[in-house]
Amino acid sequence: MEGNEALKARMVESGFTQAELADAVNADLRIVGYEGTVSDRTVRNWLTGKSRWPHRRQRTALEAVFNCPITELGFIPRRKPTRKSPEAAVLRRHFIAATAASLTATAAPGYAAQPRVGMNDVTRLQVKFAALVATDFRYGGRRAVESQAVALAEEALTLQGHGTASQRVRGALYGCAASFTSSAMWAAIDGRRFSAAQSHFDRASSLAAMSNDTAIQFRIWSHASSLYRHMNRLADARAASDVARALPIARRDPMFVSLGHARHAAIHGHAGDARAVQQSLGHAEEAYERADQNEQRPVWLAGVCDRSELEGLALSAHFSLGNYELAEAHAHRSLSLLRPGMQRDRSLVRARLAHAQLGQGDVDEAVDTAMQIPTEVARHPRVQSILSDFTHALQLAAPHSLVSQSWDEYNRYSRRDP
């Protein structure tokens, strides 16, 4: 029995393990109200060719996850025997033609009735956005997440041109399109695809302006500050951060204030300004204490503005400054507060923690920490970049030690592409 090489190639390209693809398909099924029953065994049957044509709902979910027709994933439709007689086919054609003629005759002359787009359509898109955000929190900057976000943004914009809607609904649809595009932007940043991220930023910022949604504008400009920080364009990073922090919602809601200051601290750390780091982290902590934890906020904010995120940004700032002891303390606090599903963030924190321990001369402990990062998550572009720097620093600190040799061997055999 031949295996499904097309699906295998798509999974490798997107960075999915069997279990992770099962989770992604189940998440899409739950969006439309079905129980997610796909397991890693189901995926294994797809890969081996044992199951060559999944259930209709699973096919639809797979198309959404990979943003392509099901046949491009190596699945082969079953041939169905036709039982209809030629006479039945003729009668069916006559019936369809007569029905169409009847509908045309009763329609208003000159145009077809326009469907009405309402807040139910917006709510449906917002449910999909929540599922997309949850996938991003777990897996990070995969091309599949970026592609799915772009497709969902187009779905929101398509509704603008295929129906009548109130001004309120049109603004909400632009907000949905901006939200999806901002997720595509972050997936590209997270995957270190900076040119694509810049393109998504240009699109997202214009959509957000048409939506008049200052919360999504904050997310987009805050992402832009991270993009420019990763590109070492610190003046642009500060300017984008200032735009985000000057928005009305960032002055009104202490939770937005807190996140804005914490992300600004990471920029100061990258610039080597220790005094500004301390000030920004102090402002972030004070604002967080003032924030109403029970207030309803956008779904994307719930995952990026909690104690673990503030500790993680403080870790990033002090790590950049070379304050390795403080960085280690923030890393341990962040790890203790991270929710179980945040695999990408947990691995990023562990990678920085290992490097901070190495910076203090704790070579054995540092290597042990780095080896705790799951192999599949270690291939994440940002985690991989930190571990590459860690490897270089380890070679300088203990070039011929047994622990350095152990790490090199571990890298060679455990972190190879599947």
Side-chain angles (χ1 to χ4, degrees):
M1 183 181 296
E2 293 184 4
N4 189 333
E5 294 299 324
L7 179 61
K8 181 179 179 181
R10 288 284 186 141
M11 287 175 63
V12 170
E13 178 185 349
S14 302
F16 279 127
T17 64
Q18 292 181 19
E20 289 169 351
L21 178 56
D23 288 343
V25 171
N26 286 333
D28 192 85
L29 287 169
R30 284 191 286 270
I31 290 173
V32 292
Y34 297 116
E35 182 182 359
T37 58
V38 175
S39 65
D40 57 350
R41 183 177 181 180
T42 310
V43 178
R44 185 163 60 253
N45 288 341
W46 294 341
L47 289 169
T48 60
K50 185 176 181 180
S51 174
R52 306 190 73 84
W53 192 240
H55 186 277
R56 174 179 55 81
R57 293 170 186 166
Q58 295 174 357
R59 297 198 302 270
T60 302
L62 281 164
E63 288 179 334
V65 169
F66 289 105
N67 193 32
C68 70
I70 191 68
T71 50
E72 290 186 14
L73 298 174
F75 293 107
I76 303 171
R78 297 191 186 97
R79 290 181 178 272
K80 291 186 177 180
T82 177
R83 297 180 181 177
K84 295 181 180 178
S85 66
E87 294 81 1
V90 171
L91 287 172
R92 184 173 181 273
R93 285 197 296 273
H94 280 308
F95 174 77
I96 292 172
T99 303
S102 174
L103 290 172
T104 302
T106 57
Y111 62 89
Q114 287 285 307
R116 183 74 176 172
V117 180
M119 288 307 294
N120 284 341
D121 297 287
V122 173
T123 300
R124 178 176 55 81
L125 288 168
Q126 289 172 339
V127 170
K128 291 186 177 184
F129 180 60
L132 183 71
V133 169
T135 300
D136 177 68
F137 285 162
R138 183 168 185 180
Y139 301 120
R142 291 183 169 157
R143 291 183 186 274
V145 174
E146 183 183 354
S147 298
Q148 188 178 9
V150 170
L152 289 168
E154 288 304 314
E155 182 180 334
L157 292 174
T158 297
L159 286 173
Q160 292 277 14
H162 289 272
T164 60
S166 66
Q167 190 61 37
R168 172 171 171 259
V169 170
R170 291 204 179 280
L173 287 173
Y174 279 123
C176 287
S179 298
F180 288 128
T181 309
S182 70
S183 285
M185 176 187 175
W186 179 248
I189 293 170
D190 208 23
R192 301 184 71 81
R193 300 182 293 275
F194 298 143
S195 178
Q198 180 69 62
S199 177
H200 292 316
F201 167 61
D202 295 339
R203 182 67 167 146
S205 56
S206 63
L207 290 169
M210 288 187 281
S211 76
N212 202 31
D213 182 343
T214 59
I216 198 59
Q217 289 173 17
F218 177 92
R219 187 188 196 213
I220 291 163
W221 282 99
S222 188
H223 282 349
S225 71
S226 295
L227 168 64
Y228 296 135
R229 174 165 57 87
H230 286 301
M231 296 174 71
N232 206 33
R233 291 167 52 179
L234 297 185
D236 291 336
R238 290 192 196 94
S241 179
D242 287 341
V243 171
R245 294 185 302 131
L247 288 165
I249 198 165
R251 297 195 301 268
R252 182 178 68 250
D253 187 337
M255 194 65 82
F256 283 85
V257 175
S258 178
L259 182 59
H261 281 302
R263 287 183 170 171
H264 211 65
I267 298 170
H268 287 314
H270 206 81
D273 191 338
R275 183 169 177 272
V277 164
Q278 286 300 113
Q279 287 180 336
S280 291
L281 291 177
H283 292 321
E285 179 67 25
E286 186 272 332
Y288 189 86
E289 290 295 329
R290 287 191 290 111
D292 181 357
Q293 302 296 327
N294 297 318
E295 184 176 333
Q296 188 172 3
R297 296 183 175 88
V299 64
W300 57 265
L301 188 67
V304 299
C305 199
D306 56 15
R307 286 284 182 188
S308 65
E309 177 73 3
L310 298 186
E311 295 291 347
L313 288 165
L315 158 63
S316 178
H318 284 294
F319 181 80
S320 295
L321 290 171
N323 295 336
Y324 295 129
E325 187 174 349
L326 274 174
E328 180 178 4
H330 286 294
H332 286 299
R333 285 198 287 270
S334 181
L335 287 171
S336 70
L337 295 165
L338 274 168
R339 286 166 289 174
M342 308 287 275
Q343 293 183 12
R344 181 264 319 272
D345 286 5
R346 187 173 300 279
S347 294
L348 282 169
V349 171
R350 283 197 187 282
R352 289 197 178 102
L353 171 59
H355 206 158
Q357 290 168 335
L358 182 62
Q360 298 173 76
D362 300 327
V363 178
D364 290 347
E365 189 175 4
V367 170
D368 182 64
T369 298
M371 286 183 174
Q372 292 176 37
I373 298 172
T375 300
E376 61 273 15
V377 190
R379 298 190 189 101
H380 181 283
R382 274 205 291 158
V383 179
Q384 202 170 48
S385 177
I386 297 170
L387 289 177
S388 178
D389 291 342
F390 170 79
T391 300
H392 180 68
L394 180 61
Q395 289 169 348
L396 293 176
H400 304 299
S401 65
L402 288 176
V403 70
S404 181
Q405 292 172 20
S406 296
W407 172 251
D408 288 342
E409 185 176 348
Y410 184 77
N411 257 338
R412 189 176 303 113
Y413 293 106
S414 298
R415 305 215 184 277
R416 291 180 300 178
D417 289 335

